[in-house]
Amino acid sequence: MKIGILTSGGDCPGLNAVIRGAVIKGDSIYGHEFLGIKDGFKGLVLDKISKLPRKQVRGLAKQGGTILGTSRIGPFEHGGSERVKEVMAKHGMDAVIAIGGEGTLTVARMLHEDGIPIVGVPKTIDNDLSATDYTFGFDTAVSIATESIDRLRTTAESHHRCMVVEVMGRHVGWIALHAGLASGAHAVLIPEVPVTIEQIAGWVKATVTRGRAPVVCVAEGFTLKGDQDVVAKGGVDGMGRPRLGGIGEQLTPLIEELTGIETRCTTLGHLQRGGVPTAYDRVLATRFGIAAVDAVTKKKWGTMVALRGTDIQSVHLSDATHEVKSVPYARWEEAAILFG
Ligand code: F6P
């Protein structure tokens, strides 16, 4: 078979490990050939496609980013399914492996419904895809955020300051929850659980009373309970994110005003998506790549590979995209006993 691979949407540590896993298994066990599609679905419709031989994936497991490039542009802006079929026929491409998050997998489902042979691989640092227990990239993002908070804590202690650390997560708070727990943050603020500024100030003051420098870990999608104004002030961008200064920047003066404690803000942003994947993410991504090529070989069109417990399974793309996996209240409550 001749298989096209693309990476689409925001990048994520581990994308290259998926590509490597798929190409090595496909080449050595099944004798498949691979084509690299540039910049996601955009490259599929604009015909930016070239051979992806095994030698090109050598040593890729540890390399961040994606050798194929990525974009958020879908195929429907440039001719849609008919154009995809035309380009695939031109290259003799029998199937596509699409590696991406919710948007990418939704597009993959639509292409599948139009008769295109496609298999999905889930990726997101946010870990918000419902059909898989974990996505690669999440562990790396949590590790980076945890190390950053550990570092911020020492400078906070020296200056007797409060540190607000904003992490990614525009819909869900998985990164904030895990990094906050791992680093011992004194408050974890997530989109799923709005709290008031008075509650946050209470945790900050209680921490100071115990002689510690408070760390507040906030997910970018958090909003204050009963006060949407704090987000509305700067407006939101095309993806619904605060435009002028993120939520961390907006909370910082409010915390300082209510507690009288000097407060600084650090927004980690795309640092969380850059650089080498952790060992856990390399292993998961490699297993996903291998499983994706198995699924293609078995013609399991319209499915996505997923981690269930310790097994890699195939699930329908429609199951993968129908709901966001939020942090359950009980998980936040469990962490909340450590606040203040
Ligand atoms: O990959 C998901 C995510 O990291 C979100 O948490 C964040 O809001 C978004 O991507 C940032 O994307 P962009 O690359 O468009 O700035």
Side-chain angles (χ1 to χ4, degrees), residues 10-11 72 123-126 168-170 220 239 241 270 273:
D11 75 342
R72 293 195 191 274
K123 72 85 229 186
T124 162
I125 65 163
D126 295 339
M168 277 188 169
R170 62 183 185 277
E220 62 182 331
M239 297 182 78
R241 295 171 300 189
H270 294 82
R273 277 198 347 218

Side-chain angles (χ1 to χ4, degrees), residues 151-200:
R151 288 177 185 278
L152 288 166
R153 188 193 282 278
T154 64
T155 162
E157 296 281 355
S158 308
H159 290 266
H160 317 290
R161 284 175 174 155
C162 170
M163 286 290 180
V164 175
V165 188
E166 184 187 304
V167 299
M168 277 188 169
R170 62 183 185 277
H171 300 306
V172 300
W174 287 109
I175 297 176
L177 182 80
H178 280 231
L181 253 181
S183 62
H186 304 99
V188 174
L189 312 177
I190 61 175
E192 295 88 335
V193 187
V195 296
T196 63
I197 190 67
E198 287 76 21
Q199 276 173 287
I200 301 168

Side-chain angles (χ1 to χ4, degrees), residues 120 122 131-134 288 304-308 311-315:
T132 182
D133 290 351
Y134 282 100
F288 274 174
M304 178 193 94
V305 297
L307 180 70
R308 296 286 176 89
D311 293 336
I312 309 288
Q313 298 179 3
S314 278
V315 298

Side-chain angles (χ1 to χ4, degrees), residues 6-211:
L6 62 84
T7 52
S8 175
D11 75 342
C12 180
L15 287 169
N16 285 324
V18 178
I19 298 167
R20 173 177 167 272
V23 171
I24 291 177
K25 172 105 191 229
D27 172 88
S28 60
I29 306 297
Y30 301 120
H32 296 325
E33 275 176 64
F34 288 86
L35 296 168
I37 302 165
K38 280 277 164 209
D39 299 335
F41 289 111
K42 183 177 152 195
L44 188 54
V45 283
L46 298 184
D47 195 1
K48 303 275 184 228
I49 295 168
S50 50
K51 283 190 174 164
L52 183 59
R54 184 176 170 155
K55 67 173 185 324
Q56 221 167 302
V57 302
R58 208 174 281 151
L60 274 193
K62 60 184 172 305
Q63 194 171 307
T66 162
I67 57 160
L68 296 175
T70 185
S71 76
R72 293 195 191 274
I73 296 166
F76 298 105
E77 290 117 72
H78 298 275
S81 301
E82 288 317 307
R83 175 64 185 153
V84 170
K85 285 177 189 169
E86 195 180 298
V87 175
M88 285 179 72
K90 179 185 161 196
H91 289 273
M93 197 188 293
D94 301 298
V96 175
I97 294 177
I99 314 167
E102 205 218 332
T104 302
L105 298 170
T106 301
V107 169
R109 178 178 52 76
M110 291 160 78
L111 293 177
H112 163 67
E113 284 163 4
D114 286 345
I116 290 158
I118 194 161
V119 164
V121 176
K123 72 85 229 186
T124 162
I125 65 163
D126 295 339
N127 197 39
D128 58 354
L129 285 169
S130 54
T132 182
D133 290 351
Y134 282 100
T135 44
F136 63 86
F138 173 64
D139 187 64
T140 306
V142 169
S143 301
I144 293 167
T146 302
E147 196 208 321
S148 305
I149 297 172
D150 290 347
R151 288 177 185 278
L152 288 166
R153 188 193 282 278
T154 64
T155 162
E157 296 281 355
S158 308
H159 290 266
H160 317 290
R161 284 175 174 155
C162 170
M163 286 290 180
V164 175
V165 188
E166 184 187 304
V167 299
M168 277 188 169
R170 62 183 185 277
H171 300 306
V172 300
W174 287 109
I175 297 176
L177 182 80
H178 280 231
L181 253 181
S183 62
H186 304 99
V188 174
L189 312 177
I190 61 175
E192 295 88 335
V193 187
V195 296
T196 63
I197 190 67
E198 287 76 21
Q199 276 173 287
I200 301 168
W203 288 319
V204 167
K205 281 197 268 190
T207 308
V208 172
T209 306
R210 290 191 299 104

